[in-house]
Amino acid sequence: MPSFELLPGAADSPVLLHVPHSARVIPGDVREGILLDDAALGRELDHITDAHTDGIAERAAELAGVRPWRFVNRLSRLVVDPERFPDEREEMLAVGMGAVYTRTTHQDELRAPDTDPEPLVERYFRPYARAMSDAVAQRLAATGRAVVIDVHSYPAKALPYELHGAGPRPPVCLGTDAFHTPPELAGAARSAFAGCGETGLDSPFSGTYVPLEYYGTDARVTALMVEIRRDTYMTEPGGPAGPGLERLARALAALVDAL
């Protein structure tokens, strides 16, 4: 099984739905470096996985008038987190959750604190980053622009690892970037998700994912992070999806069509 997958959309679509945190799969040799027993690991996956976000993106792609492209991580973020900086720029290193996590959502030991992240970064993180850069390059070549929409979820109650968990936790949080998120993109998202409850900006999570090759330099690449509060569409933690999934997928499809 590949560690990630690019699922094609319409040739003239600039939209790339990015789903980095929906999977629970951990290869056996990577599992050996995780200190938790199977029961504790299962509980951690319940808390850390953005469950069903791949389903939301898939359904939105089916509903959209112009089918978007989808880039989906097929491995758990406990293998590597492709959205972290792989170096000292990453603020989540403060809680042991850089590109390769050493602490859990509840700040227990996940890996030995002296774990060398480089083997996992080389094996999984860098190929993922190159493939995302290539996917953006393909949209730029085909349409002259690329719109990266990150599809995430977050728990109704803050978990101990969150650095900015004290702020508002609206049903839909839109993460923005000063360079890559133009006001019209955030406005289109607010309109699309208006029927899903309150929509907030950059709380409890902020920022967007843009491949480093384009980050801060290429305005043809725009980006928005869509963080969906989990109690609006599923049973927490790690439980089944409910009827809210369809409503959110329709809203995401409306956003895609607006772009």
Side-chain angles (χ1 to χ4, degrees):
M1 182 178 183
S3 62
F4 51 81
E5 189 172 10
L6 178 63
L7 298 160
D12 59 346
S13 173
V15 180
L16 186 62
L17 299 180
H18 181 217
V19 188
H21 294 155
S22 65
R24 296 173 65 100
V25 175
I26 301 174
D29 59 331
V30 179
R31 170 70 179 94
E32 291 173 3
I34 292 176
L35 302 177
L36 305 178
D37 63 28
D38 288 348
L41 178 56
R43 290 191 295 271
E44 178 62 13
L45 286 167
D46 286 346
H47 288 292
I48 199 64
T49 303
D50 291 354
H52 313 296
T53 51
D54 54 342
I56 293 172
E58 180 179 10
R59 180 63 177 144
E62 294 171 351
L63 292 167
V66 178
R67 190 177 186 90
W69 295 65
R70 287 178 290 143
F71 193 104
V72 184
N73 188 6
R74 297 304 187 190
L75 296 181
S76 169
R77 64 197 291 190
L78 297 184
V79 179
V80 296
D81 190 330
E83 295 213 315
R84 303 285 198 245
F85 288 111
D87 51 37
E88 68 282 351
R89 289 173 292 177
E90 180 51 60
E91 71 169 355
M92 295 300 291
L93 284 170
V95 288
M97 299 178 83
V100 176
Y101 297 177
T102 57
R103 312 290 293 189
T104 70
T105 50
H106 290 75
Q107 293 297 278
D108 298 318
E109 277 199 344
L110 180 76
R111 292 181 173 92
D114 60 351
T115 296
D116 179 6
E118 182 56 29
L120 290 175
V121 167
E122 178 63 24
R123 181 177 172 186
Y124 295 110
F125 184 97
R126 292 194 180 100
Y128 190 106
R130 287 193 296 268
M132 266 297 292
S133 288
D134 289 346
V136 168
Q138 291 169 18
R139 295 302 87 222
L140 289 173
T143 72
R145 62 193 182 102
V147 187
V148 180
I149 305 296
D150 252 8
V151 186
H152 289 263
S153 70
Y154 73 99
K157 294 183 178 180
L159 292 171
Y161 82 94
E162 295 182 26
L163 293 178
H164 309 289
R169 303 179 82 81
V172 179
C173 162
L174 303 176
T176 67
D177 176 85
F179 185 88
H180 290 283
T181 311
E184 56 269 24
L185 176 53
R190 281 187 179 276
S191 296
F193 286 97
C196 299
E198 180 189 358
T199 300
L201 291 178
D202 295 315
S203 176
F205 298 98
S206 63
T208 65
Y209 178 83
V210 175
L212 290 178
E213 178 180 347
Y214 301 99
Y215 184 69
T217 61
D218 195 333
R220 297 176 302 163
V221 181
T222 57
L224 182 76
M225 179 170 65
V226 177
E227 287 270 5
I228 303 163
R229 205 177 66 206
R230 292 177 190 154
D231 63 339
T232 65
Y233 73 93
M234 64 172 284
T235 301
E236 294 187 82
L245 187 146
E246 179 72 11
R247 180 175 62 252
L248 288 157
R250 290 187 177 279
L252 182 58
L255 173 58
V256 169
D257 285 342
L259 302 175

